[in-house]
């Protein structure tokens, strides 16, 4: 197998535009040339990096993809890290994955440079590297390709390992279901350390020869200008973004709103996912723009699994049916496989889309699959008149805020380092914009006083901004059961 599928396909697209920005375009050939050069820089004379882990820290765009392809072509495993993470969070991802190098754009290289120096990790400035391309290794699809850190029911994030074959399966399923073509044009404003941005937008677009317009973040005014100008055929976002767009449109003047709405109405498809899209938001968006959002369900470990149809009813509040190549079943807590409608159970998934392992955590990997190789998602759903509807999660320790999956335990561990906090418990409270808002109940030490703004300031050097508590309740004691465990459902009433 001479080339990875994404690379082999890119070779067919040659002079087609892969990335468009206000200052210019990048063709598929440019990406191939640049990635071959970066692969040589990484290889530094070795024949194959043999699954060495290489972290990637750069904003969405052509340089990011050139680096991603470069490290893949050199035989390395990509470890994307969050642009806005704190230094302790970066350090955890680098040391847990055993990264041997970090590839970063010039601005990010300045920020992460001191940490790389302290950890003895090679730092490659993507913008400066310029080696001539040398021989590249031959790679098979079963090689590990990516480790994505995901928060869960443990206090530290786990590294989700996927191979090139898993990634191809995840991409091909979406290409088929949503009928991607090379005529598609899509804005990319989601973070590049999660699958929504990496797989659903970037990899799918580049698989078919489509064009991406990258933004370093969700730059609403700039994106709306482009929507008005018919720059896109597709739009993929998390529910928080649709809520923010509704707020923005409803507060803009009628003439401006009409232009933006007309732009949205002309898109061929708008997708929502990564968190529950309230039916009210779905209906509101349709009323405003005429677009029926297509809601789908996925997870870092499995890619996308369930989707409303491209053609057919897109049901508000439901996520649809299994995607091509993905097997879904529901299982009761008692372990019975559910075969009829209207009985809730845990979603379990099987297929070539499902990840390989949690990096360095064989026990966690084994526990997440049942005896027949079905992956246990920890999400509850029910099948109703032909559509799955997500009902919630089995664990109270997982929070979804702005589309980010957060671990209550990780946030609690950080808060407990505060000198004035004796005990704490973190939960997600319903929030119209963010889905859930990170909320902390704390017991302070002695007569200490603690208020939300000071606590948030203290958190900034320890936790990414989206993990920092939005709400605080100072309590005399936390509600506990007979075993001494905090009863999180009872906590909700304390806010
Ligand atoms: C940021 N802020 C928050 C917050 N995140 N407040 C409450 N809750 C949160 N979660 C605050 C900041 O502190 C800041 O406050 C202000 O909002 C603006 O911050 P920002 O970072 O500039 O926000 P914005 O750009 O508006 O970000 C919103 C967003 C972003 C929705 C674009 O959260 C985002 O990109 N989310 C997507 C995450 C994602 O890709 N998830 C997919 C995971 S994969 P102040 O006071 O400083 O102004 C997955 C699988 C699947 O789930 O199925 O796809
Ligand atoms: P992550 O681990 O960041 O990939 O997040 C995956 C989780 O997001 C899933 O386990 C679900 O809990 C949640 N999720 C994704 N899509 C949806 C959706 N459409 N509706 C409800 N929850 C969703």
């Amino acid at each position: 197998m001479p080339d990875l599928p994404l690379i082999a396909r890119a070779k067919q697209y040659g002079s087609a535009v892969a990335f468009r920005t206000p200052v210019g375009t990048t063709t598929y050939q440019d990406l191939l040339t640049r990635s071959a050069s970066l692969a040589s820089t990484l290889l530094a004379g070795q024949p194959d990096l043999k699954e060495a882990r290489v972290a990637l820290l750069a904003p969405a765009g052509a340089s990011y993809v050139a680096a991603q392809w470069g490290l893949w072509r050199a035989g390395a495993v990509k470890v994307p890290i969050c642009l806005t993470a704190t230094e302790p969070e970066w350090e955890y991802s680098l040391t847990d994955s055993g990264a041997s190098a970090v590839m970063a754009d010039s601005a990010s290289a300045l920020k992460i440079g001191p940490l790389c120096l302290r950890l003895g990790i090679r730092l490659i400035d993507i913008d400066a590297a310029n080696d001539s391309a040398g021989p590249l290794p031959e790679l098979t699809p079963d090689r590990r390709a990516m480790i994505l850190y995901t928060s869960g029911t443990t206090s530290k994030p786990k590294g989700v390992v996927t191979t090139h074959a898993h990634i191809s399966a995840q991409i091909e399923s979406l290409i088929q279901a949503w009928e991607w073509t090379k005529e598609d044009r899509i804005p990319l404003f989601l973070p590049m350390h999660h699958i929504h941005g990496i797989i659903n937008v970037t990899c799918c677009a580049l698989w078919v020869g489509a064009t991406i317009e990258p933004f370093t973040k969700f730059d609403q005014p700039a994106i709306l200008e482009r929507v008005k100008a018919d720059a896109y055929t597709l739009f993929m976002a998390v529910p928080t973004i649709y809520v923010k767009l509704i707020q923005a449109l409803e507060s803009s003047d009628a003439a401006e709103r009409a232009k933006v709405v007309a732009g949205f109405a002309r898109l061929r498809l708008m997708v929502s996912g990564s968190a529950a899209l309230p039916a009210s938001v779905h209906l509101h968006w349709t009323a405003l723009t005429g677009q029926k959002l297509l809601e789908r369900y996925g997870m870092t470990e499995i890619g996308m699994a369930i989707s409303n149809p491209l053609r057919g009813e897109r049901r508000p509040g439901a996520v649809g049916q299994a995607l091509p190549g993905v097997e879904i079943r529901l299982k009761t807590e008692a372990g019975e496989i559910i075969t009829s409608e209207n009985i809730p159970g845990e979603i379990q998934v099987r297929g070539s889309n499902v990840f390989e392992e949690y990096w360095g955590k064989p026990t966690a990997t084994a526990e997440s699959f049942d005896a027949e190789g079905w992956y246990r998602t920890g999400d509850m759903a029910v099948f109703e008149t032909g559509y799955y509807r997500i009902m919630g999660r089995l664990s109270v320790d997982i929070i979804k805020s702005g589309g980010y999956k957060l671990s209550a335990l990780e946030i609690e561990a950080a808060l407990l380092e505060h000198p004035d906090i004796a005990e704490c418990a973190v939960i997600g409270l319903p929030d119209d914009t963010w889905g859930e808002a990170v909320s902390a109940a704390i017991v302070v030490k002695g007569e200490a006083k603690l208020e939300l703004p000071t606590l948030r300031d203290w958190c900034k050097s320890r936790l990414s901004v989206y993990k920092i508590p939005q709400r605080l309740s100072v309590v005399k004691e936390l509600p506990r059961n007979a075993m001494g465990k905090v009863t999180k459902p009872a906590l909700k009433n304390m806010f």
Side-chain angles (χ1 to χ4, degrees):
M1 163 143 167
D3 275 321
L4 294 169
L6 264 166
I7 302 298
R9 301 180 73 91
K11 287 182 177 170
Q12 298 166 23
Y13 305 136
S15 61
V17 173
F19 283 92
R20 183 185 304 281
T21 70
V23 296
T25 57
T26 307
T27 65
Y28 281 82
Q29 185 52 52
D30 295 335
L31 289 177
L32 288 167
T33 308
R34 188 94 190 100
S35 61
S37 158
L38 286 166
S40 291
T41 302
L42 270 170
L43 284 164
Q46 302 168 74
D48 184 338
L49 287 186
K50 295 191 177 149
E51 298 189 357
R53 274 76 60 209
V54 174
L56 179 49
L57 181 70
S63 290
Y64 180 103
V65 167
Q68 167 173 312
W69 288 7
L71 69 89
W72 276 348
R73 297 176 84 181
V77 176
K78 174 195 182 196
V79 185
I81 54 178
C82 172
L83 274 175
T84 55
T86 61
E87 187 162 307
E89 290 169 329
W90 278 340
E91 181 165 354
Y92 174 75
S93 309
L94 296 180
T95 51
D96 185 76
S97 65
S100 59
V102 173
M103 298 177 92
D105 65 293
S106 299
S108 305
L110 278 176
K111 290 189 200 144
I112 203 167
L115 177 64
C116 291
L117 200 62
R118 178 157 66 77
L119 298 177
I121 295 178
R122 183 179 172 206
L123 176 62
I124 296 162
D125 181 338
I126 308 166
D127 301 325
N130 195 17
D131 283 271
S132 51
L136 298 175
E138 293 216 345
L139 304 168
T140 51
D142 58 341
R143 291 269 294 248
R144 289 181 182 81
M146 186 151 72
I147 301 181
L148 274 176
Y149 278 89
T150 186
S151 296
T153 47
T154 47
S155 75
K156 288 289 182 195
K158 296 193 288 268
V160 174
V161 179
T162 42
T163 63
H164 289 286
H166 295 133
I167 290 175
S168 296
Q170 293 176 4
I171 299 170
E172 284 185 300
S173 176
L174 295 184
I175 300 291
Q176 188 185 332
W178 299 342
E179 299 181 14
W180 275 88
T181 75
K182 64 176 175 20
E183 313 306 331
D184 279 318
R185 304 179 303 276
I186 189 165
L188 167 61
F189 43 74
L190 292 169
M192 289 304 281
H193 62 293
H194 285 303
I195 54 166
H196 200 159
I198 299 172
I199 303 284
N200 296 26
V201 179
T202 311
C203 287
C204 282
L206 299 179
W207 187 270
V208 294
T211 302
I212 299 171
E213 281 199 8
F215 295 84
T216 46
K217 60 179 301 227
F218 180 62
D219 180 351
Q220 192 166 284
I223 293 163
L224 293 187
E225 277 308 309
R226 298 294 291 152
V227 167
K228 281 196 284 187
D230 281 340
Y232 312 126
T233 60
L234 286 171
F235 194 94
M236 294 185 191
V238 297
T240 297
I241 288 180
Y242 290 109
V243 173
K244 286 180 175 238
L245 284 172
I246 289 172
Q247 288 162 355
L249 285 176
E250 294 201 325
S251 57
S252 62
D253 72 67
E256 173 65 10
R257 179 163 68 231
K259 284 188 216 155
V260 178
V261 160
F264 277 124
R266 288 189 291 265
L267 295 178
R268 81 163 179 88
L269 175 64
M270 301 191 76
V271 180
S272 174
S274 301
L277 177 72
S280 57
V281 176
H282 190 294
L283 295 169
H284 202 147
W285 188 257
T286 308
L288 205 56
T289 65
Q291 280 279 356
K292 285 210 161 111
L293 295 176
L294 180 153
E295 185 176 8
R296 66 15 171 224
Y297 159 87
M299 194 175 186
T300 305
E301 286 86 339
I302 59 176
M304 297 304 109
I306 308 177
S307 171
N308 272 281
L310 179 69
R311 297 165 197 282
E313 183 198 0
R314 296 184 197 156
R315 193 179 293 173
V319 290
Q321 292 102 19
L323 276 160
V326 182
E327 283 182 89
I328 299 288
R329 75 177 186 190
L330 300 181
K331 210 171 182 186
T332 64
E333 232 175 303
E336 282 157 24
I337 296 160
I338 297 168
T339 50
S340 39
E341 292 205 337
N342 306 319
I343 302 173
E346 185 192 32
I347 305 175
Q348 302 199 336
V349 184
R350 207 162 62 170
S352 42
N353 54 307
V354 177
F355 75 126
E356 184 78 8
E357 61 185 343
Y358 291 115
W359 179 252
K361 294 188 168 49
T363 311
T365 306
E367 284 170 354
S368 67
F369 288 90
D370 84 351
E372 295 151 321
W374 290 82
Y375 174 68
R376 310 174 208 255
T377 62
D379 288 310
M380 296 289 291
V382 61
F383 197 59
E384 291 168 337
T385 50
Y387 282 63
Y388 287 99
R389 181 167 63 81
I390 310 290
M391 301 182 73
R393 287 176 300 267
L394 285 171
S395 169
V396 286
D397 288 323
I398 292 174
I399 299 168
K400 264 270 161 167
S401 188
Y404 284 108
K405 180 157 133 181
L406 313 175
S407 162
L409 305 178
E410 182 187 357
I411 301 168
E412 286 164 9
L415 294 181
L416 283 174
E417 285 177 22
H418 191 288
D420 293 335
I421 296 182
E423 293 174 53
C424 74
V426 167
I427 54 172
L429 288 177
D431 184 279
D432 286 347
T433 301
W434 301 99
E436 288 181 300
V438 175
S439 309
I442 59 168
V443 178
V444 292
K445 287 183 185 161
E447 298 302 307
K449 295 246 176 304
L450 201 53
E451 288 183 350
L452 186 61
T454 26
L455 179 65
R456 284 179 58 82
D457 264 354
W458 179 86
C459 286
K460 277 183 187 147
S461 60
R462 292 164 174 86
L463 294 169
S464 291
V465 64
Y466 46 83
K467 299 179 188 170
I468 299 177
Q470 296 293 317
R471 299 188 204 169
L472 177 68
S473 174
V474 181
V475 296
K476 286 219 158 52
E477 60 181 41
L478 297 171
R480 293 181 188 273
N481 63 17
M483 313 286 288
K485 201 172 175 316
V486 175
T487 47
K488 291 202 168 176
L491 247 191
K492 295 201 170 166
N493 305 328
M494 300 180 117
F495 284 86

